[in-house]
Structure formats: C-alpha cells, structure tokens
Amino acid sequence: MTSETRRTEGRPDLTSRAAIDQLVTTFYREIVFDDLLEPVFGEIAEVDWVAHIPILIDYWTSILLGAEGHRGSIMGVHRDLHAMAPIERAHCDRWYSLWAGCVDERWAGPIADRAKGHAAALMAGMAKHLFSFAWSAAEVEVRALPGRPARRPGRPPVDRGSCSVIR
C-alpha cells in the first residue's frame, strides 16, 4: 500500500452535489462559530445563511462538477464587504485554513484537491485585486476543526473524524 493510498483510504472524493452541499454547510457552520470570521459574516455583512448557503452550494457545484446554476459576481460582493470593513490577511488565512481543513476532514482525491486549489486561487486574487495585499495558501497552516490537531501545508491530513454540520 502506498502512502497516497493510506492517506486517502476511506475518504471519498467530492463527486456529487450532495457531497458539496455537505462540505459547504459544514464549512459555514465553522465560520458561524469562529471568533475572527463570524463578526465579518454576521455583524458586518449580515449574511442571511438560509438564503446564502444554496447560492454557495450552486457556486461550488458549478466550479467542481461543471454544473449549471451559479450566476453572480463574487468579486463585487467581496469588494462591497471590504468597503464596509477592511478584510485583512488574518481573515484570508483563517477562511482558507477552515476551508482546507473541512475538505481534508472528509474528502480526498482530484476534486477535493481542486476545491482547495480553487479556494486558494480565489483568495489570492481577491487579496491582490480587492484587499491590496499579497496572499498565498502556501503560508497558511491548515486549521483543524475544534478539538483536532492542526497540520502544516504539504503534510498528509490526520484522521480527525467528522466535521460538525450547520443544519
């Protein structure tokens, strides 16, 4: 058995809308309970999660599976948010760390890798073009979910059980 087989054994890839729904829902549940990001989403942006989660699921399903459905300006929404309260490197680091941690928690494979790669590219682009600083996922320690050990970029994920779910 190779180390790659051991690393991914028992974790499916993100091959369905249901899996992406679970990822997005799990991730934003972590955001709601995060002391750095919750004020940005809850107090500043005043996100209506009931309305917003289906939009995010459509977005990630279109990115990862090529499905139709998502229409909207990601950059415009984040530009408006940044105008209300500056988004800082720590926000970007935490967002990516939680996203990658949620992906690694339950999924492995090319689509899971694409989910992390797209998130990293998206955050780097927003940091450069909207927030006016350079950002790279390579510098971020992937944050384990509460009660679980963190991991450094490039190291295989630790088997940490399951993420909590927002619903």
Side-chain angles (χ1 to χ4, degrees), residues 39-41 43-47 52 72-88 126 129-132:
V40 174
F41 286 86
E43 297 169 24
I44 297 166
E46 298 179 340
V47 173
H52 197 54
S73 171
I74 292 172
M75 293 299 226
V77 169
H78 290 91
R79 181 181 295 112
D80 294 345
L81 176 60
H82 184 60
M84 289 187 271
I87 302 299
E88 300 172 358
M126 285 194 291
H129 298 290
L130 300 180
F131 313 148
S132 301

mmCIF file of all heavy atoms in Angstrom, residues 39-41 43-47 52 72-88 126 129-132:
data_model
loop_
_atom_site.group_PDB
_atom_site.id
_atom_site.type_symbol
_atom_site.label_atom_id
_atom_site.label_comp_id
_atom_site.label_asym_id
_atom_site.label_seq_id
_atom_site.Cartn_x
_atom_site.Cartn_y
_atom_site.Cartn_z
ATOM 1 N N PRO A 39 -17.836 37.762 13.102
ATOM 2 C CA PRO A 39 -18.229 39.175 13.053
ATOM 3 C C PRO A 39 -18.251 39.747 11.628
ATOM 4 O O PRO A 39 -19.093 40.575 11.304
ATOM 5 C CB PRO A 39 -17.159 39.870 13.900
ATOM 6 C CG PRO A 39 -16.666 38.805 14.829
ATOM 7 C CD PRO A 39 -16.715 37.530 14.027
ATOM 8 N N VAL A 40 -17.365 39.280 10.771
ATOM 9 C CA VAL A 40 -17.346 39.752 9.379
ATOM 10 C C VAL A 40 -18.614 39.310 8.667
ATOM 11 O O VAL A 40 -19.291 40.107 8.013
ATOM 12 C CB VAL A 40 -16.091 39.239 8.632
ATOM 13 C CG1 VAL A 40 -16.154 39.608 7.156
ATOM 14 C CG2 VAL A 40 -14.820 39.766 9.283
ATOM 15 N N PHE A 41 -18.957 38.033 8.796
ATOM 16 C CA PHE A 41 -20.128 37.493 8.117
ATOM 17 C C PHE A 41 -21.424 37.887 8.815
ATOM 18 O O PHE A 41 -22.414 38.195 8.169
ATOM 19 C CB PHE A 41 -20.034 35.966 8.027
ATOM 20 C CG PHE A 41 -19.043 35.486 7.009
ATOM 21 C CD1 PHE A 41 -17.702 35.336 7.335
ATOM 22 C CD2 PHE A 41 -19.447 35.174 5.725
ATOM 23 C CE1 PHE A 41 -16.784 34.890 6.402
ATOM 24 C CE2 PHE A 41 -18.545 34.724 4.783
ATOM 25 C CZ PHE A 41 -17.204 34.588 5.117
ATOM 26 N N GLU A 43 -21.999 40.286 11.633
ATOM 27 C CA GLU A 43 -22.255 41.668 12.038
ATOM 28 C C GLU A 43 -22.057 42.676 10.910
ATOM 29 O O GLU A 43 -22.831 43.611 10.768
ATOM 30 C CB GLU A 43 -21.359 42.035 13.220
ATOM 31 C CG GLU A 43 -21.653 41.200 14.458
ATOM 32 C CD GLU A 43 -20.598 41.359 15.540
ATOM 33 O OE1 GLU A 43 -19.896 42.399 15.566
ATOM 34 O OE2 GLU A 43 -20.463 40.423 16.353
ATOM 35 N N ILE A 44 -21.030 42.484 10.104
ATOM 36 C CA ILE A 44 -20.743 43.452 9.041
ATOM 37 C C ILE A 44 -21.557 43.129 7.793
ATOM 38 O O ILE A 44 -22.326 43.957 7.311
ATOM 39 C CB ILE A 44 -19.235 43.501 8.732
ATOM 40 C CG1 ILE A 44 -18.478 43.984 9.981
ATOM 41 C CG2 ILE A 44 -18.958 44.412 7.540
ATOM 42 C CD1 ILE A 44 -16.993 43.758 9.939
ATOM 43 N N ALA A 45 -21.404 41.916 7.272
ATOM 44 C CA ALA A 45 -22.119 41.534 6.050
ATOM 45 C C ALA A 45 -23.584 41.179 6.327
ATOM 46 O O ALA A 45 -24.406 41.230 5.417
ATOM 47 C CB ALA A 45 -21.420 40.357 5.381
ATOM 48 N N GLU A 46 -23.891 40.824 7.566
ATOM 49 C CA GLU A 46 -25.239 40.411 7.951
ATOM 50 C C GLU A 46 -25.792 39.341 6.997
ATOM 51 O O GLU A 46 -26.886 39.458 6.448
ATOM 52 C CB GLU A 46 -26.179 41.609 8.035
ATOM 53 C CG GLU A 46 -25.768 42.611 9.087
ATOM 54 C CD GLU A 46 -26.671 43.825 9.182
ATOM 55 O OE1 GLU A 46 -27.405 44.125 8.212
ATOM 56 O OE2 GLU A 46 -26.641 44.473 10.234
ATOM 57 N N VAL A 47 -24.998 38.300 6.808
ATOM 58 C CA VAL A 47 -25.369 37.226 5.889
ATOM 59 C C VAL A 47 -26.623 36.510 6.379
ATOM 60 O O VAL A 47 -26.730 36.137 7.539
ATOM 61 C CB VAL A 47 -24.206 36.216 5.744
ATOM 62 C CG1 VAL A 47 -24.643 35.000 4.932
ATOM 63 C CG2 VAL A 47 -22.996 36.881 5.112
ATOM 64 N N HIS A 52 -28.187 32.323 1.649
ATOM 65 C CA HIS A 52 -26.841 32.323 1.079
ATOM 66 C C HIS A 52 -26.265 30.922 0.847
ATOM 67 O O HIS A 52 -25.567 30.704 -0.151
ATOM 68 C CB HIS A 52 -25.905 33.137 1.985
ATOM 69 C CG HIS A 52 -24.635 33.551 1.330
ATOM 70 N ND1 HIS A 52 -24.588 34.236 0.132
ATOM 71 C CD2 HIS A 52 -23.345 33.372 1.710
ATOM 72 C CE1 HIS A 52 -23.334 34.459 -0.193
ATOM 73 N NE2 HIS A 52 -22.560 33.947 0.745
ATOM 74 N N GLY A 72 -23.540 35.244 -10.703
ATOM 75 C CA GLY A 72 -23.320 36.292 -9.716
ATOM 76 C C GLY A 72 -21.883 36.763 -9.726
ATOM 77 O O GLY A 72 -21.012 36.135 -10.310
ATOM 78 N N SER A 73 -21.659 37.869 -9.049
ATOM 79 C CA SER A 73 -20.338 38.470 -9.002
ATOM 80 C C SER A 73 -19.703 38.251 -7.630
ATOM 81 O O SER A 73 -20.055 38.920 -6.656
ATOM 82 C CB SER A 73 -20.431 39.978 -9.273
ATOM 83 O OG SER A 73 -19.188 40.593 -9.016
ATOM 84 N N ILE A 74 -18.790 37.316 -7.579
ATOM 85 C CA ILE A 74 -18.086 37.050 -6.328
ATOM 86 C C ILE A 74 -17.221 38.249 -5.949
ATOM 87 O O ILE A 74 -17.196 38.663 -4.801
ATOM 88 C CB ILE A 74 -17.222 35.789 -6.467
ATOM 89 C CG1 ILE A 74 -18.137 34.593 -6.602
ATOM 90 C CG2 ILE A 74 -16.282 35.633 -5.292
ATOM 91 C CD1 ILE A 74 -17.444 33.336 -6.928
ATOM 92 N N MET A 75 -16.524 38.803 -6.919
ATOM 93 C CA MET A 75 -15.639 39.941 -6.635
ATOM 94 C C MET A 75 -16.450 41.146 -6.161
ATOM 95 O O MET A 75 -16.043 41.818 -5.215
ATOM 96 C CB MET A 75 -14.809 40.293 -7.859
ATOM 97 C CG MET A 75 -13.811 39.227 -8.221
ATOM 98 S SD MET A 75 -12.627 38.926 -6.911
ATOM 99 C CE MET A 75 -11.128 38.890 -7.846
ATOM 100 N N GLY A 76 -17.584 41.409 -6.763
ATOM 101 C CA GLY A 76 -18.392 42.561 -6.377
ATOM 102 C C GLY A 76 -18.871 42.491 -4.939
ATOM 103 O O GLY A 76 -18.805 43.469 -4.193
ATOM 104 N N VAL A 77 -19.316 41.324 -4.524
ATOM 105 C CA VAL A 77 -19.797 41.136 -3.154
ATOM 106 C C VAL A 77 -18.664 41.373 -2.166
ATOM 107 O O VAL A 77 -18.831 42.053 -1.148
ATOM 108 C CB VAL A 77 -20.380 39.712 -2.983
ATOM 109 C CG1 VAL A 77 -20.629 39.386 -1.527
ATOM 110 C CG2 VAL A 77 -21.645 39.556 -3.802
ATOM 111 N N HIS A 78 -17.486 40.842 -2.469
ATOM 112 C CA HIS A 78 -16.358 40.993 -1.551
ATOM 113 C C HIS A 78 -15.774 42.409 -1.588
ATOM 114 O O HIS A 78 -15.274 42.886 -0.572
ATOM 115 C CB HIS A 78 -15.308 39.929 -1.842
ATOM 116 C CG HIS A 78 -15.794 38.566 -1.449
ATOM 117 N ND1 HIS A 78 -16.463 37.752 -2.330
ATOM 118 C CD2 HIS A 78 -15.759 37.909 -0.271
ATOM 119 C CE1 HIS A 78 -16.798 36.637 -1.708
ATOM 120 N NE2 HIS A 78 -16.397 36.703 -0.459
ATOM 121 N N ARG A 79 -15.874 43.064 -2.722
ATOM 122 C CA ARG A 79 -15.465 44.477 -2.804
ATOM 123 C C ARG A 79 -16.341 45.322 -1.882
ATOM 124 O O ARG A 79 -15.844 46.150 -1.123
ATOM 125 C CB ARG A 79 -15.555 44.988 -4.239
ATOM 126 C CG ARG A 79 -15.122 46.438 -4.402
ATOM 127 C CD ARG A 79 -15.241 46.919 -5.846
ATOM 128 N NE ARG A 79 -14.308 46.192 -6.700
ATOM 129 C CZ ARG A 79 -14.661 45.318 -7.650
ATOM 130 N NH1 ARG A 79 -15.937 45.068 -7.904
ATOM 131 N NH2 ARG A 79 -13.747 44.702 -8.376
ATOM 132 N N ASP A 80 -17.649 45.080 -1.924
ATOM 133 C CA ASP A 80 -18.579 45.807 -1.057
ATOM 134 C C ASP A 80 -18.294 45.527 0.414
ATOM 135 O O ASP A 80 -18.307 46.449 1.235
ATOM 136 C CB ASP A 80 -20.025 45.428 -1.386
ATOM 137 C CG ASP A 80 -20.450 45.874 -2.781
ATOM 138 O OD1 ASP A 80 -19.748 46.710 -3.390
ATOM 139 O OD2 ASP A 80 -21.485 45.366 -3.259
ATOM 140 N N LEU A 81 -18.032 44.280 0.746
ATOM 141 C CA LEU A 81 -17.720 43.914 2.118
ATOM 142 C C LEU A 81 -16.450 44.622 2.589
ATOM 143 O O LEU A 81 -16.410 45.188 3.684
ATOM 144 C CB LEU A 81 -17.556 42.400 2.244
ATOM 145 C CG LEU A 81 -17.127 41.869 3.611
ATOM 146 C CD1 LEU A 81 -18.134 42.240 4.685
ATOM 147 C CD2 LEU A 81 -16.925 40.356 3.543
ATOM 148 N N HIS A 82 -15.422 44.605 1.759
ATOM 149 C CA HIS A 82 -14.148 45.248 2.093
ATOM 150 C C HIS A 82 -14.332 46.756 2.291
ATOM 151 O O HIS A 82 -13.662 47.356 3.130
ATOM 152 C CB HIS A 82 -13.124 44.963 0.995
ATOM 153 C CG HIS A 82 -11.765 45.492 1.270
ATOM 154 N ND1 HIS A 82 -11.011 45.115 2.367
ATOM 155 C CD2 HIS A 82 -10.999 46.375 0.582
ATOM 156 C CE1 HIS A 82 -9.849 45.745 2.336
ATOM 157 N NE2 HIS A 82 -9.815 46.511 1.268
ATOM 158 N N ALA A 83 -15.251 47.348 1.560
ATOM 159 C CA ALA A 83 -15.532 48.779 1.724
ATOM 160 C C ALA A 83 -16.190 49.059 3.075
ATOM 161 O O ALA A 83 -15.977 50.127 3.665
ATOM 162 C CB ALA A 83 -16.421 49.282 0.587
ATOM 163 N N MET A 84 -16.970 48.110 3.586
ATOM 164 C CA MET A 84 -17.627 48.293 4.890
ATOM 165 C C MET A 84 -16.642 48.140 6.043
ATOM 166 O O MET A 84 -16.710 48.871 7.028
ATOM 167 C CB MET A 84 -18.770 47.285 5.066
ATOM 168 C CG MET A 84 -19.966 47.571 4.185
ATOM 169 S SD MET A 84 -21.343 46.464 4.601
ATOM 170 C CE MET A 84 -21.007 45.087 3.518
ATOM 171 N N ALA A 85 -15.752 47.174 5.926
ATOM 172 C CA ALA A 85 -14.733 46.910 6.951
ATOM 173 C C ALA A 85 -13.581 46.184 6.259
ATOM 174 O O ALA A 85 -13.799 45.158 5.625
ATOM 175 C CB ALA A 85 -15.300 46.056 8.069
ATOM 176 N N PRO A 86 -12.380 46.725 6.355
ATOM 177 C CA PRO A 86 -11.252 46.125 5.629
ATOM 178 C C PRO A 86 -11.026 44.645 5.960
ATOM 179 O O PRO A 86 -11.010 44.260 7.128
ATOM 180 C CB PRO A 86 -10.055 46.960 6.075
ATOM 181 C CG PRO A 86 -10.641 48.251 6.543
ATOM 182 C CD PRO A 86 -11.983 47.904 7.109
ATOM 183 N N ILE A 87 -10.886 43.857 4.915
ATOM 184 C CA ILE A 87 -10.531 42.451 5.056
ATOM 185 C C ILE A 87 -9.010 42.405 5.155
ATOM 186 O O ILE A 87 -8.305 43.008 4.344
ATOM 187 C CB ILE A 87 -11.021 41.622 3.849
ATOM 188 C CG1 ILE A 87 -12.537 41.751 3.692
ATOM 189 C CG2 ILE A 87 -10.584 40.172 3.970
ATOM 190 C CD1 ILE A 87 -13.342 41.266 4.875
ATOM 191 N N GLU A 88 -8.529 41.695 6.149
ATOM 192 C CA GLU A 88 -7.091 41.626 6.416
ATOM 193 C C GLU A 88 -6.559 40.222 6.144
ATOM 194 O O GLU A 88 -7.325 39.270 6.012
ATOM 195 C CB GLU A 88 -6.829 42.024 7.871
ATOM 196 C CG GLU A 88 -7.293 43.436 8.179
ATOM 197 C CD GLU A 88 -7.229 43.774 9.655
ATOM 198 O OE1 GLU A 88 -6.865 42.897 10.476
ATOM 199 O OE2 GLU A 88 -7.559 44.925 9.990
ATOM 200 N N MET A 126 -8.548 37.762 -4.801
ATOM 201 C CA MET A 126 -9.260 38.799 -4.040
ATOM 202 C C MET A 126 -8.280 39.621 -3.207
ATOM 203 O O MET A 126 -8.412 40.847 -3.129
ATOM 204 C CB MET A 126 -10.338 38.174 -3.153
ATOM 205 C CG MET A 126 -11.547 37.724 -3.936
ATOM 206 S SD MET A 126 -12.988 37.345 -2.909
ATOM 207 C CE MET A 126 -12.459 35.870 -2.080
ATOM 208 N N HIS A 129 -6.387 41.935 -5.807
ATOM 209 C CA HIS A 129 -7.170 42.911 -6.569
ATOM 210 C C HIS A 129 -8.179 43.706 -5.745
ATOM 211 O O HIS A 129 -8.547 44.817 -6.136
ATOM 212 C CB HIS A 129 -7.887 42.216 -7.726
ATOM 213 C CG HIS A 129 -6.931 41.585 -8.695
ATOM 214 N ND1 HIS A 129 -6.126 42.317 -9.529
ATOM 215 C CD2 HIS A 129 -6.632 40.281 -8.925
ATOM 216 C CE1 HIS A 129 -5.372 41.499 -10.246
ATOM 217 N NE2 HIS A 129 -5.654 40.263 -9.903
ATOM 218 N N LEU A 130 -8.612 43.159 -4.623
ATOM 219 C CA LEU A 130 -9.611 43.866 -3.813
ATOM 220 C C LEU A 130 -9.063 44.370 -2.486
ATOM 221 O O LEU A 130 -9.404 45.464 -2.055
ATOM 222 C CB LEU A 130 -10.811 42.954 -3.522
ATOM 223 C CG LEU A 130 -11.589 42.412 -4.709
ATOM 224 C CD1 LEU A 130 -12.731 41.542 -4.224
ATOM 225 C CD2 LEU A 130 -12.104 43.541 -5.592
ATOM 226 N N PHE A 131 -8.242 43.548 -1.831
ATOM 227 C CA PHE A 131 -7.805 43.884 -0.480
ATOM 228 C C PHE A 131 -6.424 44.536 -0.450
ATOM 229 O O PHE A 131 -5.959 44.964 0.592
ATOM 230 C CB PHE A 131 -7.814 42.645 0.414
ATOM 231 C CG PHE A 131 -9.070 41.806 0.327
ATOM 232 C CD1 PHE A 131 -9.005 40.435 0.497
ATOM 233 C CD2 PHE A 131 -10.321 42.370 0.087
ATOM 234 C CE1 PHE A 131 -10.142 39.640 0.432
ATOM 235 C CE2 PHE A 131 -11.463 41.588 0.004
ATOM 236 C CZ PHE A 131 -11.370 40.214 0.179
ATOM 237 N N SER A 132 -5.727 44.541 -1.584
ATOM 238 C CA SER A 132 -4.439 45.233 -1.762
ATOM 239 C C SER A 132 -3.286 44.650 -0.950
ATOM 240 O O SER A 132 -2.480 45.384 -0.382
ATOM 241 C CB SER A 132 -4.583 46.729 -1.465
ATOM 242 O OG SER A 132 -5.535 47.304 -2.319
#
